[in-house]
Amino acid sequence: RTRTRTRTSKRAEATFHVGGGDGMDITVMAITDEDPGSVQSGQYVWPAAPVLADYAWGQLQQGKLPTAGVCVELGAGCGLCGISVACCPASGFEEVIFTDHDPGTLHQVTENAEAQGDKRRIATRAEPLEWGEAATALPKASLVLGSDVIYDTSVVAPLFKTVDALLVNPPPF
């Protein structure tokens, strides 16, 4: 006899400080389970996201990243990195676009971005995207972000193909 176990994930607010002393706290709803599972993995804050969110904020403040055009976050999950860009005072992007393949994750990232209220200085939206497919529905981006997106070697080629298609001035891969 086969048993099926239904798993209920715990969700809670998670707050991260970005930008050092002059930065700000960003709060997102996320799965807080020790092991989020593959189905809900996009709604979990993986370890590299807070690091990249803080790094992007700092690089924008120092003028070391592009600040115009469009920023796209690939595999956005909770959207922490893109939200950091959208909230950073030095960010001059027209828009930050969160992408993911999971509709539930896109819904959650939209709510997380909207929850920032007046801290969010730039328009944001969420769009479905499968890596390796044509990203023709998205505008070209001057900055593409992605944290904890390589979880298997099979995703590397589609990821690079997508980054190449999205960037205004793609580097040679």
Side-chain angles (χ1 to χ4, degrees):
R1 188 165 138 144
T2 305
R3 288 179 127 177
T4 304
R5 190 176 107 188
T6 304
R7 188 183 134 126
T8 305
S9 294
K10 296 179 221 164
R11 302 180 60 71
E13 287 185 348
T15 301
F16 303 90
H17 187 79
V18 296
D22 295 332
M24 70 173 55
D25 289 340
I26 296 174
T27 301
V28 296
M29 286 298 294
I31 289 176
T32 58
D33 297 355
E34 290 287 323
D35 176 21
S38 61
V39 175
Q40 294 112 353
S41 65
Q43 296 177 38
Y44 181 81
V45 180
W46 293 98
V51 175
L52 180 58
D54 185 58
Y55 178 79
W57 179 289
Q59 295 298 295
L60 286 167
Q61 289 290 91
Q62 295 173 32
K64 294 182 178 179
L65 287 177
T67 58
V70 173
C71 173
V72 174
E73 184 177 2
L74 297 175
C78 294
L80 184 61
C81 298
I83 291 169
S84 175
V85 169
C87 292
C88 182
S91 184
F93 291 102
E94 297 164 23
E95 152 178 73
V96 173
I97 303 172
F98 304 99
T99 66
D100 206 283
H101 70 279
D102 177 59
T105 298
L106 293 171
H107 176 76
Q108 186 63 60
V109 73
T110 299
E111 288 184 356
N112 284 341
E114 290 172 356
Q116 304 312 309
D118 292 341
K119 291 191 288 187
R120 191 173 47 127
R121 302 164 182 267
I122 297 168
T124 59
R125 66 180 161 119
E127 294 290 337
L129 181 64
E130 291 283 339
W131 299 343
E133 294 182 6
T136 55
L138 298 176
K140 291 285 191 175
S142 52
L143 180 63
V144 175
L145 300 171
S147 69
D148 291 297
V149 294
I150 298 177
Y151 47 86
D152 187 86
T153 57
S154 67
V155 303
V156 174
L159 173 62
F160 280 21
K161 182 178 178 182
T162 300
V163 170
D164 186 55
L166 283 172
L167 279 173
V168 172
N169 296 307
F173 286 115

